[in-house]
Amino acid sequence: MRVYDKSVIKVNASTENGRVVLDTEGPLSTVAKPIIKRINKIFLEEKPIYSDEENIIFSTWAPPMPGDIFKRLISAQVASILKKRIPDQFSIGITTHCPYDCIHCGAAGTVADPILSFDEINGAIEQSIDLGSYYIAFDGGETLLRKDLEQMVAKVDKTRAIATCFTSGFGLTEQRAKDLKNAGLFAAHMSLDSPEEAEHDRVRGRDGAFQNTVNGIKHVVNADILADLFVVISPHNIDDLDGFYNFAADMGMQEMSIYEIIAVGRWMDHEDEVITSKDVDRLGKFQKSMNNKEDGPRVTSFPNFMGPDEFGCFAGRRWMHTTAGGDVLPCAYTPLSFGNIREEELADIWERMGKHEAYSCSAEYCMMRNPEFRDKYIRTISEGTQLPVRLDKDIH
């Protein structure tokens, strides 16, 4: 099927043995070959969460193909070949409030006074889509504590972007899940810290947290919203990979996404309790093993996906995050503000970010794992400073 059709390049998608394969034609076809080869390698080793003769949904993190939004994804890939920065992903904090007290919370201590209004959030999202974003994520705190979440989801232009949200499932009723589906929510990333109830509740700092997540997932699945189990892996739970996967499979979820714990927020002083390169290799092997199964959820390991063998670090290059107070960061885990959407247009902030010495070139893996980066930008300038740190507008 034709999934992208421009005069300079055309992209076709087909399925072979349950796997997606892309091929190109047109004047830019030769230039595009390296990135198409990289994408095909990922497709070959992994499985989509859904496919039939007319549609393919590769992941909760990507729009269905074919379609207008998928064309925007391809446009972003073509732009990257031409060295043009596009914020594929735009995540935005809509609240700092949360019923839990997670020991690893990355958002703890960030400035958000006052919290962004409904109109400010919608305006930022519209600006990000104009810049090329096709994946919009509502983030928190606990996103469900915003009673206008459904209205925000509904406002996202579904001809140009998919809308997702991060949630623990707290307070998610059957009716609210249906309302979010009707508003056009594409996927819900449901967080879990342990497949064991007592341990999950301990990490969250509240009894009943595990059951809240279970109930929320049930309502999401029943509402026909794509359900992703979002797992932050640390040295403390990396041995529970099979348990997480079995939990996601038993709950009927379509995907299990793995992110690495970052020494930020409440975990700022735990730089010795993050995963190692050996752990990343282990996650990659787990991903391939699970995605070779015919049935069950697909696995997406972001330490590998955003690693040197695939696409590298997205922060400030293909990902932009706005806090609930309006500060624009390279990603949700890098507490460096390049401006505030209450004061400037998002395009100006994005351009400034790209000129900064840390983001004007590629990075093979998460920069927050880089000791030199942390020494220069996180540890030194953040001492005694409220996070996120606001960089001077002329800093490069």
Side-chain angles (χ1 to χ4, degrees), residues 296-308:
R298 70 164 268 113
V299 172
T300 298
S301 172
F302 279 100
N304 302 94
F305 187 77
M306 296 184 181

Side-chain angles (χ1 to χ4, degrees), residues 276-344:
T276 64
S277 297
K278 185 177 180 180
D279 293 328
V280 174
D281 291 341
R282 178 179 175 183
L283 295 178
K285 291 176 182 177
F286 177 78
Q287 172 183 279
K288 290 182 180 180
S289 174
M290 295 301 104
N291 288 343
N292 279 329
K293 291 184 174 184
E294 227 175 275
D295 301 318
R298 70 164 268 113
V299 172
T300 298
S301 172
F302 279 100
N304 302 94
F305 187 77
M306 296 184 181
D309 295 330
E310 294 190 19
F311 291 94
C313 183
F314 272 27
R317 299 166 184 85
R318 308 185 76 156
W319 181 8
M320 177 169 45
H321 177 78
T322 296
T323 70
D327 283 303
V328 181
L329 320 181
C331 77
Y333 304 97
T334 306
L336 299 176
S337 173
F338 285 83
N340 192 288
I341 61 168
R342 287 184 169 126
E343 303 165 0
E344 297 178 88

Side-chain angles (χ1 to χ4, degrees), residues 192 194-204 206-212 214 247:
L192 192 71
S194 173
E196 300 297 328
E197 183 171 4
E199 177 61 10
H200 177 78
D201 287 0
R202 183 191 71 81
V203 174
R204 295 280 158 138
R206 179 168 177 159
D207 292 340
F210 184 88
Q211 195 57 50
N212 287 337
V214 168
F247 174 90

